Amino acid sequence: MDKIAVFPGSFDPFTIGHESVVRRAMPLFEKIIIAIGYNAEKQTFISLENRLRLISDVFKNDPKIEVTQFESLTVDFCHEVNAGYLLRGLRTAADFEYERAIGQVNKAMRPEIESVFLLTAPEYTPVNSTIVRDILRHRGDASKFLPKGIDISKYI
Ligand code: ADP
């Protein structure tokens, strides 16, 4: 069976930290599906369509990467797309506690799916979507925290 991983998140917006996790995981998997968890009732800063477009632009030269959306439980989505692995990034102790609980519950629901965690590269530890959103809302320059070459004004 192919080694397929799902990297789920809201990616509002997709940051240089997210990109780093995906690129570091590429040698481990045959395919990585970057999947935007979508909740029709939740208001987001960047529309679903534009988040999909931005992430696809970042990985346009990487055939191992697929970008999509899902509305179901994350483990059910993994099952649907035949993914045996759930990829997540770990920045801080707070991330760890949160991910531990979710990872263990996911394991109880679908034992065949393994969660795989990559420690954030130290330089990206402070990068998070909430802060990047605040910078953008106040018209600051967030380019340092976004994937190289991405002009965020094309997606907002
Ligand atoms: P969620 O809403 O599920 O937390 P996010 O879009 O914030 O989704 O993040 C998706 C994944 O990316 C999570 O595993 C998160 O820990 C990881 N992540 C977020 N920011 C970084 C970063 N700067 N470096 C590495 N991983 C990160």
Side-chain angles (χ1 to χ4, degrees), residues 44-110:
T44 55
F45 178 62
I46 302 183
S47 70
L48 175 66
E49 209 178 43
N50 283 341
R51 280 178 285 159
L52 289 167
R53 198 157 60 82
L54 187 157
I55 303 169
S56 304
D57 288 348
V58 172
F59 296 102
K60 61 176 185 289
N61 298 318
D62 298 289
K64 272 190 181 181
I65 304 299
E66 247 180 63
V67 186
T68 189
Q69 70 196 68
F70 70 103
E71 267 196 275
S72 48
L73 266 180
T74 310
V75 282
D76 289 345
F77 174 71
C78 290
H79 178 78
E80 218 176 277
V81 295
N82 228 351
Y85 303 90
L86 238 173
L87 175 65
R88 299 286 289 174
L90 284 182
R91 286 165 295 189
T92 60
D95 271 1
F96 172 76
E97 276 308 318
Y98 177 74
E99 295 294 341
R100 184 187 53 74
I102 294 195
Q104 289 172 342
V105 168
N106 283 342
K107 188 78 182 158
M109 288 191 289
R110 286 210 186 257

Side-chain angles (χ1 to χ4, degrees), residues 12-13 45-46 128-138:
D12 188 27
F45 178 62
I46 302 183
N128 82 56
S129 295
T130 308
I131 296 176
V132 172
R133 263 197 317 272
D134 278 346
I135 296 173
L136 295 171
R137 273 205 187 97
H138 294 95

Side-chain angles (χ1 to χ4, degrees), residues 7-13 15-18 21 87-91 95 98-99 118 120-121 124-129:
F7 183 50
S10 14
F11 308 125
D12 188 27
T15 68
I16 197 163
H18 295 130
V21 167
L87 175 65
R88 299 286 289 174
L90 284 182
R91 286 165 295 189
D95 271 1
Y98 177 74
E99 295 294 341
L118 289 189
T120 300
Y124 301 136
T125 301
V127 178
N128 82 56
S129 295

